[in-house]
Amino acid sequence: MKNVMLLSLSKTPTNSNGAPIHHIFHWDSKKIGCLHPNEPAIQFVQDQLRRKSETIDSIFYFASQNVKSNLPTQKISHEKFFRSLPICRGKKLQSIEIQSEDGLDSILKMSQLIQNIAEQFGENVRLHVDLTCGNSSILLAISQILNRSGIESGLIVYSNFETHRVENSSEVCRLFNLFAGVGEFINFCDVRSIEKYFANRKSSPELQRLLDKIRQFDYAIEICRTAEMESL
């Protein structure tokens, strides 16, 4: 399994001397030092993957003109500073410039870029998303598009700089996908989203019977067996 991460790159906050501000984040009784707003989420996802002997293989990010400017009093841009962080070493970094007025174009370009790299891997790919600094609608839209293309949805996180913790929003997003999947089933008899949500989850006998009926109904629609639909 290959793992890739999507984010919108942030500028690096600095103190009065122009030096990056150091933040300490906490999870699992650990204290993680971070110098960049996107760094805590990347560190968190990397830490979760390490438990499964996996790692982040590629990082994809949107880069605005702001992050291409230099840090105060330094001769390095915000983007180059991010790419120099230890958490980025050994990972393939891919970027697309984004402007506020071309949201749809950015979604399509980034989706295609990630899809192309995923095909080069030649194995299953999981996409993780950092919502900390970007337009969450754009980032989640890309996740949905790629999920339909066979790329597995991974962790969806954001860094809370008030509590200094990385919040995991993955389950909330999966619930939204389930609600959308119910609409897909009602309108188009498409059960894929419902099946993905309940895959590998414990369910009651009653719920399992309902899911079996839904699958049977979908199959009957697919092969146009109206008699089977009436019996269901």
Side-chain angles (χ1 to χ4, degrees):
M1 173 69 75
K2 295 290 186 179
N3 292 275
V4 301
M5 193 156 184
L6 172 65
L7 53 91
S8 183
L9 193 63
S10 170
K11 293 180 69 174
T12 306
T14 56
N15 59 26
S16 58
N17 297 321
I21 298 174
H22 187 263
H23 292 276
I24 301 293
F25 271 69
H26 309 265
W27 63 80
D28 297 338
S29 301
K30 298 179 181 179
K31 292 184 178 180
I32 310 296
C34 301
L35 293 173
H36 189 277
N38 293 109
E39 193 176 1
I42 298 173
Q43 292 262 33
F44 177 82
V45 172
Q46 181 78 354
D47 191 51
Q48 303 305 304
L49 292 175
R50 191 178 292 115
R51 301 174 186 182
K52 300 187 291 185
S53 299
E54 296 181 10
T55 187
I56 298 173
D57 298 282
S58 294
I59 297 175
F60 297 85
Y61 63 88
F62 287 111
S64 66
Q65 283 298 320
N66 285 333
V67 302
K68 296 182 182 297
S69 62
N70 286 352
L71 278 75
T73 72
Q74 298 191 39
K75 296 181 179 180
I76 184 173
S77 69
H78 294 271
E79 181 178 13
K80 288 183 178 179
F81 175 77
F82 168 75
R83 295 174 75 100
S84 70
L85 294 172
I87 194 65
C88 293
R89 293 173 190 164
K91 297 174 175 55
K92 189 171 185 179
L93 302 176
Q94 300 276 345
S95 68
I96 285 179
E97 185 174 337
I98 187 171
Q99 297 176 351
S100 59
E101 66 271 14
D102 67 348
L104 180 58
D105 186 54
S106 298
I107 289 172
L108 297 176
K109 284 182 178 179
M110 182 61 81
S111 299
Q112 189 60 61
L113 176 62
I114 297 176
Q115 184 68 41
N116 291 342
I117 299 298
E119 291 174 357
Q120 294 176 19
F121 283 141
E123 57 183 285
N124 293 336
V125 176
R126 184 188 297 117
L127 174 68
H128 309 277
V129 181
D130 173 19
L131 302 178
T132 304
C133 306
N135 186 319
S136 58
S137 298
I138 288 178
L139 298 175
L140 291 174
I142 294 169
S143 177
Q144 288 298 305
I145 290 172
L146 293 174
N147 185 252
R148 292 292 182 178
S149 302
I151 294 178
E152 181 182 331
S153 296
L155 294 170
I156 298 176
V157 298
Y158 71 93
S159 301
N160 188 328
F161 280 84
E162 292 185 1
T163 62
H164 287 88
R165 293 188 178 277
V166 176
E167 309 290 349
N168 188 345
S169 301
S170 306
E171 191 59 34
V172 174
C173 293
R174 291 191 186 101
L175 280 173
F176 286 150
N177 291 339
L178 173 63
F179 298 151
V182 172
E184 291 171 358
F185 173 70
I186 293 173
N187 293 314
F188 311 110
C189 293
D190 188 338
V191 300
R192 287 176 296 177
S193 295
I194 296 176
E195 288 182 325
K196 283 182 180 179
Y197 180 81
F198 287 105
N200 302 318
R201 292 174 181 265
K202 291 183 179 180
S203 57
S204 66
E206 293 79 9
L207 176 58
Q208 193 57 53
R209 284 197 295 270
L210 174 60
L211 293 175
D212 290 341
K213 288 293 184 181
I214 289 175
R215 295 187 188 97
Q216 292 173 35
F217 188 87
D218 176 65
Y219 178 72
I221 286 285
E222 184 178 346
I223 61 178
C224 298
R225 291 185 177 175
T226 56
E228 288 191 17
M229 286 186 281
E230 292 175 0
S231 66
L232 294 173

Coordinates of all heavy atoms in Angstrom, one line a residue, residues 138-199:
I138 N -12.4 22.4 -1.6 CA -11.6 21.9 -2.7 C -10.8 20.6 -2.4 O -10.8 19.7 -3.2 CB -10.6 23.0 -3.1 CG1 -11.3 24.2 -3.8 CG2 -9.5 22.5 -4.0 CD1 -10.4 25.4 -4.2
L139 N -10.2 20.6 -1.2 CA -9.4 19.4 -0.8 C -10.3 18.2 -0.7 O -10.0 17.1 -1.1 CB -8.7 19.7 0.5 CG -7.7 20.8 0.5 CD1 -7.1 21.1 1.9 CD2 -6.6 20.5 -0.5
L140 N -11.5 18.3 -0.1 CA -12.4 17.2 0.1 C -13.0 16.8 -1.3 O -13.3 15.6 -1.5 CB -13.5 17.6 1.1 CG -13.1 17.7 2.5 CD1 -14.2 18.2 3.4 CD2 -12.5 16.4 3.1
A141 N -13.2 17.7 -2.2 CA -13.8 17.4 -3.5 C -12.8 16.5 -4.2 O -13.1 15.5 -4.9 CB -14.0 18.7 -4.3
I142 N -11.5 16.9 -4.1 CA -10.4 16.0 -4.8 C -10.4 14.6 -4.2 O -10.3 13.6 -4.9 CB -9.1 16.7 -4.6 CG1 -9.0 18.0 -5.4 CG2 -7.9 15.8 -5.1 CD1 -7.8 18.9 -5.1
S143 N -10.6 14.6 -2.9 CA -10.6 13.3 -2.2 C -11.7 12.4 -2.7 O -11.6 11.2 -2.9 CB -10.7 13.5 -0.7 OG -10.8 12.2 0.0
Q144 N -12.9 13.0 -2.9 CA -14.1 12.3 -3.4 C -13.9 11.8 -4.8 O -14.2 10.7 -5.2 CB -15.3 13.2 -3.3 CG -15.8 13.4 -1.9 CD -16.2 12.1 -1.2 OE1 -17.1 11.4 -1.7 NE2 -15.6 11.8 -0.1
I145 N -13.4 12.7 -5.6 CA -13.1 12.3 -7.1 C -12.2 11.1 -7.1 O -12.4 10.2 -7.9 CB -12.5 13.5 -7.8 CG1 -13.6 14.6 -8.0 CG2 -12.0 13.1 -9.2 CD1 -13.1 15.9 -8.6
L146 N -11.1 11.2 -6.4 CA -10.1 10.1 -6.4 C -10.6 8.8 -5.8 O -10.2 7.7 -6.2 CB -8.8 10.6 -5.7 CG -8.1 11.7 -6.4 CD1 -6.9 12.2 -5.6 CD2 -7.6 11.3 -7.8
N147 N -11.5 9.0 -4.8 CA -12.1 7.8 -4.2 C -12.9 7.0 -5.2 O -12.9 5.8 -5.3 CB -12.9 8.2 -3.0 CG -13.5 7.0 -2.3 OD1 -14.7 6.7 -2.3 ND2 -12.6 6.3 -1.6
R148 N -13.6 7.8 -6.1 CA -14.4 7.2 -7.2 C -13.5 6.5 -8.2 O -13.9 5.6 -8.9 CB -15.3 8.2 -7.8 CG -16.4 8.8 -7.0 CD -17.4 7.7 -6.7 NE -18.5 8.2 -5.9 CZ -19.6 7.5 -5.5 NH1 -19.6 6.2 -5.9 NH2 -20.5 8.0 -4.8
S149 N -12.2 7.0 -8.3 CA -11.3 6.4 -9.2 C -10.5 5.2 -8.7 O -9.6 4.7 -9.3 CB -10.3 7.5 -9.7 OG -11.0 8.6 -10.2
G150 N -10.8 4.8 -7.4 CA -10.2 3.6 -6.9 C -9.1 3.9 -5.9 O -8.5 3.0 -5.3
I151 N -8.9 5.2 -5.6 CA -7.9 5.6 -4.5 C -8.6 5.6 -3.2 O -9.6 6.3 -3.0 CB -7.2 6.9 -4.9 CG1 -6.4 6.8 -6.1 CG2 -6.3 7.4 -3.7 CD1 -5.7 8.1 -6.6
E152 N -8.1 4.9 -2.3 CA -8.7 4.7 -0.9 C -8.6 6.0 -0.1 O -7.6 6.7 -0.2 CB -8.0 3.6 -0.2 CG -8.6 3.3 1.2 CD -7.9 2.2 1.9 OE1 -7.4 1.3 1.2 OE2 -7.8 2.3 3.2
S153 N -9.7 6.4 0.6 CA -9.6 7.6 1.5 C -9.0 7.2 2.8 O -9.3 6.2 3.4 CB -11.1 8.1 1.7 OG -11.7 8.5 0.5
G154 N -8.0 8.0 3.2 CA -7.3 7.7 4.4 C -7.7 8.7 5.5 O -8.9 9.0 5.7
L155 N -6.8 9.2 6.3 CA -7.0 10.1 7.4 C -7.3 11.6 6.8 O -6.7 12.0 5.9 CB -5.9 10.2 8.3 CG -5.5 8.9 9.1 CD1 -4.2 9.1 9.8 CD2 -6.6 8.6 10.1
I156 N -8.3 12.2 7.4 CA -8.6 13.6 7.1 C -8.5 14.4 8.4 O -9.2 14.2 9.4 CB -10.1 13.7 6.6 CG1 -10.2 12.9 5.3 CG2 -10.4 15.2 6.3 CD1 -11.6 12.9 4.7
V157 N -7.4 15.2 8.5 CA -7.0 15.8 9.7 C -6.9 17.4 9.6 O -6.8 17.9 8.5 CB -5.7 15.2 10.2 CG1 -5.9 13.7 10.5 CG2 -4.6 15.4 9.2
Y158 N -6.8 18.0 10.7 CA -6.4 19.5 10.7 C -5.7 19.8 12.0 O -6.0 19.1 13.1 CB -7.6 20.4 10.5 CG -8.6 20.5 11.6 CD1 -8.5 21.5 12.6 CD2 -9.6 19.6 11.7 CE1 -9.4 21.6 13.6 CE2 -10.6 19.7 12.7 CZ -10.4 20.7 13.7 OH -11.3 20.8 14.7
S159 N -4.9 20.7 12.0 CA -4.1 21.1 13.2 C -4.8 22.2 14.0 O -5.1 23.3 13.4 CB -2.7 21.5 12.9 OG -2.0 20.5 12.2
N160 N -5.1 22.0 15.2 CA -5.8 23.0 16.1 C -4.7 23.7 16.9 O -4.1 23.2 17.8 CB -6.8 22.3 17.0 CG -7.6 23.3 17.8 OD1 -7.2 24.4 18.1 ND2 -8.8 22.9 18.1
F161 N -4.4 25.0 16.5 CA -3.3 25.7 17.1 C -3.7 26.4 18.4 O -2.9 27.0 19.1 CB -2.8 26.8 16.2 CG -1.8 26.2 15.1 CD1 -2.3 25.6 14.0 CD2 -0.5 26.2 15.4 CE1 -1.4 25.1 13.0 CE2 0.4 25.7 14.4 CZ -0.1 25.1 13.3
E162 N -5.0 26.2 18.8 CA -5.4 26.7 20.1 C -5.2 25.6 21.2 O -4.7 25.9 22.3 CB -6.9 27.0 20.1 CG -7.2 28.3 19.3 CD -8.7 28.7 19.4 OE1 -9.4 28.0 20.1 OE2 -9.1 29.7 18.7
T163 N -5.5 24.3 20.8 CA -5.2 23.2 21.8 C -3.9 22.5 21.5 O -3.5 21.7 22.3 CB -6.4 22.2 21.6 OG1 -6.4 21.6 20.3 CG2 -7.7 22.8 21.9
H164 N -3.3 22.9 20.4 CA -2.0 22.2 20.0 C -2.2 20.7 19.9 O -1.3 19.9 20.3 CB -0.9 22.6 20.9 CG -0.4 24.0 20.8 ND1 -1.0 25.0 21.4 CD2 0.5 24.5 20.0 CE1 -0.4 26.2 21.1 NE2 0.5 25.9 20.2
R165 N -3.3 20.3 19.2 CA -3.5 18.9 18.9 C -4.0 18.8 17.5 O -4.6 19.7 16.9 CB -4.6 18.4 19.9 CG -4.1 18.3 21.3 CD -5.2 17.5 22.2 NE -4.7 17.4 23.5 CZ -3.8 16.4 23.9 NH1 -3.4 15.5 23.1 NH2 -3.4 16.4 25.2
V166 N -3.7 17.6 16.9 CA -4.2 17.4 15.5 C -5.5 16.7 15.7 O -5.6 15.6 16.3 CB -3.2 16.5 14.8 CG1 -3.8 16.1 13.4 CG2 -1.9 17.2 14.6
E167 N -6.6 17.3 15.1 CA -7.9 16.7 15.1 C -8.2 15.8 14.0 O -7.8 16.1 12.8 CB -9.0 17.8 15.1 CG -8.7 18.9 16.1 CD -9.0 18.5 17.6 OE1 -9.5 17.4 17.8 OE2 -8.6 19.2 18.5
N168 N -8.7 14.6 14.3 CA -9.0 13.6 13.2 C -10.5 13.7 12.8 O -11.4 13.3 13.6 CB -8.7 12.2 13.8 CG -8.8 11.1 12.7 OD1 -9.3 11.4 11.6 ND2 -8.2 10.0 12.9
S169 N -10.8 14.2 11.6 CA -12.1 14.4 11.2 C -12.6 13.2 10.2 O -13.6 13.4 9.6 CB -12.3 15.7 10.5 OG -11.9 16.8 11.3
S170 N -11.8 12.2 10.2 CA -12.1 11.1 9.2 C -13.5 10.5 9.3 O -14.2 10.3 8.3 CB -11.0 10.0 9.3 OG -9.7 10.5 9.2
E171 N -13.9 10.2 10.5 CA -15.2 9.6 10.7 C -16.4 10.5 10.4 O -17.4 10.0 9.8 CB -15.3 9.1 12.2 CG -16.5 8.2 12.4 CD -16.5 6.9 11.5 OE1 -15.3 6.4 11.3 OE2 -17.5 6.4 11.1
V172 N -16.2 11.8 10.6 CA -17.3 12.7 10.3 C -17.4 12.7 8.7 O -18.6 12.7 8.2 CB -16.9 14.1 10.8 CG1 -18.0 15.1 10.3 CG2 -16.9 14.1 12.3
C173 N -16.3 12.8 8.0 CA -16.4 12.8 6.6 C -17.0 11.5 6.0 O -17.7 11.5 5.0 CB -15.0 13.0 6.0 SG -14.3 14.7 6.3
R174 N -16.7 10.4 6.7 CA -17.2 9.1 6.2 C -18.8 9.1 6.4 O -19.5 8.5 5.6 CB -16.6 7.9 7.0 CG -15.1 7.7 6.7 CD -14.6 6.4 7.2 NE -13.2 6.2 7.0 CZ -12.3 6.4 7.9 NH1 -12.6 6.8 9.1 NH2 -11.0 6.3 7.6
L175 N -19.2 9.7 7.5 CA -20.7 9.8 7.7 C -21.3 10.7 6.6 O -22.4 10.3 6.1 CB -20.9 10.4 9.1 CG -20.8 9.5 10.3 CD1 -21.0 10.3 11.6 CD2 -21.9 8.4 10.2
F176 N -20.7 11.8 6.2 CA -21.2 12.6 5.1 C -21.3 11.7 3.8 O -22.2 11.8 3.1 CB -20.3 13.8 4.9 CG -20.5 14.9 6.0 CD1 -19.4 15.7 6.3 CD2 -21.7 15.0 6.6 CE1 -19.5 16.6 7.3 CE2 -21.8 16.0 7.6 CZ -20.8 16.8 7.9
N177 N -20.3 10.9 3.6 CA -20.3 10.0 2.5 C -21.4 9.0 2.5 O -22.0 8.7 1.5 CB -18.9 9.3 2.3 CG -17.8 10.2 2.0 OD1 -18.0 11.3 1.5 ND2 -16.6 9.8 2.3
L178 N -21.7 8.5 3.7 CA -22.8 7.6 3.9 C -24.1 8.3 3.6 O -25.0 7.7 2.9 CB -22.8 7.1 5.3 CG -24.0 6.2 5.7 CD1 -24.1 4.9 4.9 CD2 -24.0 5.8 7.2
F179 N -24.3 9.5 4.1 CA -25.6 10.2 3.8 C -25.7 10.4 2.3 O -26.8 10.3 1.8 CB -25.6 11.6 4.5 CG -25.5 11.4 6.0 CD1 -25.0 12.4 6.8 CD2 -26.0 10.3 6.7 CE1 -24.9 12.3 8.2 CE2 -26.0 10.2 8.1 CZ -25.4 11.2 8.8
A180 N -24.6 10.8 1.6 CA -24.7 11.0 0.2 C -25.0 9.7 -0.5 O -25.7 9.6 -1.5 CB -23.3 11.6 -0.3
G181 N -24.4 8.6 0.1 CA -24.6 7.3 -0.5 C -26.1 6.8 -0.5 O -26.6 6.2 -1.4
V182 N -26.8 7.2 0.6 CA -28.2 6.9 0.7 C -29.0 7.6 -0.4 O -29.9 7.0 -1.0 CB -28.7 7.3 2.1 CG1 -30.3 7.2 2.2 CG2 -28.1 6.5 3.2
G183 N -28.6 8.9 -0.6 CA -29.2 9.6 -1.8 C -28.9 9.0 -3.1 O -29.8 8.9 -4.0
E184 N -27.7 8.5 -3.3 CA -27.3 7.8 -4.5 C -28.2 6.5 -4.7 O -28.6 6.2 -5.8 CB -25.9 7.5 -4.5 CG -25.0 8.7 -4.6 CD -23.5 8.3 -4.4 OE1 -23.2 7.2 -4.1 OE2 -22.7 9.3 -4.4
F185 N -28.4 5.8 -3.6 CA -29.2 4.6 -3.7 C -30.6 4.9 -4.1 O -31.2 4.3 -4.9 CB -29.1 3.8 -2.4 CG -30.1 2.6 -2.4 CD1 -29.8 1.5 -3.2 CD2 -31.2 2.6 -1.7 CE1 -30.6 0.4 -3.2 CE2 -32.1 1.5 -1.6 CZ -31.8 0.4 -2.4
I186 N -31.2 5.9 -3.4 CA -32.6 6.3 -3.7 C -32.8 6.8 -5.1 O -33.8 6.4 -5.8 CB -33.1 7.4 -2.7 CG1 -33.1 6.8 -1.3 CG2 -34.4 7.9 -3.1 CD1 -33.4 7.8 -0.2
N187 N -31.9 7.6 -5.6 CA -32.0 8.2 -6.9 C -31.5 7.3 -8.0 O -32.1 7.3 -9.1 CB -31.3 9.5 -6.9 CG -32.0 10.6 -6.0 OD1 -33.2 10.7 -6.0 ND2 -31.2 11.3 -5.3
F188 N -30.4 6.6 -7.8 CA -29.8 5.8 -8.9 C -29.5 4.4 -8.6 O -28.9 3.7 -9.4 CB -28.4 6.5 -9.2 CG -28.5 8.0 -9.4 CD1 -27.9 8.8 -8.4 CD2 -29.1 8.6 -10.5 CE1 -28.0 10.2 -8.6 CE2 -29.2 9.9 -10.6 CZ -28.7 10.8 -9.7
C189 N -30.0 3.9 -7.4 CA -29.8 2.5 -7.0 C -28.3 2.1 -7.0 O -27.9 1.0 -7.3 CB -30.5 1.5 -8.0 SG -32.3 1.7 -7.8
D190 N -27.4 3.1 -6.6 CA -26.0 2.9 -6.5 C -25.7 2.6 -5.1 O -25.8 3.5 -4.2 CB -25.3 4.1 -7.0 CG -23.8 3.9 -7.1 OD1 -23.2 3.0 -6.4 OD2 -23.1 4.7 -7.9
V191 N -25.2 1.4 -4.8 CA -24.9 1.0 -3.4 C -23.4 1.1 -3.0 O -23.1 0.7 -1.9 CB -25.4 -0.4 -3.1 CG1 -26.9 -0.5 -3.3 CG2 -24.7 -1.4 -3.9
R192 N -22.6 1.6 -3.9 CA -21.1 1.5 -3.6 C -20.7 2.3 -2.3 O -19.9 1.8 -1.5 CB -20.4 2.0 -4.8 CG -20.3 1.1 -6.0 CD -19.7 1.7 -7.2 NE -20.4 2.9 -7.7 CZ -19.9 3.7 -8.7 NH1 -18.8 3.4 -9.2 NH2 -20.6 4.7 -9.0
S193 N -21.3 3.5 -2.2 CA -20.9 4.3 -1.0 C -21.4 3.7 0.3 O -20.7 3.7 1.3 CB -21.5 5.7 -1.1 OG -20.9 6.4 -2.2
I194 N -22.6 3.1 0.3 CA -23.1 2.4 1.5 C -22.2 1.2 1.8 O -21.9 0.9 3.0 CB -24.6 2.0 1.2 CG1 -25.4 3.2 1.0 CG2 -25.1 1.1 2.4 CD1 -26.9 2.9 0.7
E195 N -21.9 0.4 0.8 CA -21.0 -0.8 1.0 C -19.6 -0.4 1.6 O -19.1 -1.0 2.5 CB -20.9 -1.6 -0.3 CG -22.1 -2.3 -0.7 CD -22.0 -3.1 -1.9 OE1 -21.2 -2.7 -2.8 OE2 -22.6 -4.2 -2.1
K196 N -19.1 0.7 1.1 CA -17.8 1.2 1.5 C -17.8 1.5 3.0 O -16.9 1.2 3.8 CB -17.3 2.3 0.7 CG -16.7 2.0 -0.7 CD -16.2 3.2 -1.4 CE -15.6 2.8 -2.7 NZ -15.2 4.0 -3.5
Y197 N -18.9 2.2 3.4 CA -19.0 2.7 4.8 C -19.1 1.5 5.8 O -18.4 1.5 6.8 CB -20.2 3.6 5.0 CG -20.3 4.1 6.4 CD1 -19.6 5.2 6.9 CD2 -21.2 3.5 7.3 CE1 -19.7 5.6 8.2 CE2 -21.3 3.9 8.7 CZ -20.5 5.0 9.1 OH -20.6 5.4 10.4
F198 N -19.8 0.5 5.4 CA -20.1 -0.7 6.3 C -19.0 -1.8 6.1 O -19.1 -2.8 6.8 CB -21.5 -1.2 6.2 CG -22.5 -0.3 6.7 CD1 -23.3 0.5 5.9 CD2 -22.7 -0.2 8.1 CE1 -24.3 1.3 6.5 CE2 -23.7 0.6 8.7 CZ -24.5 1.4 7.8
A199 N -18.1 -1.6 5.2 CA -17.1 -2.7 5.0 C -16.2 -2.8 6.2 O -15.8 -1.8 6.8 CB -16.3 -2.3 3.7

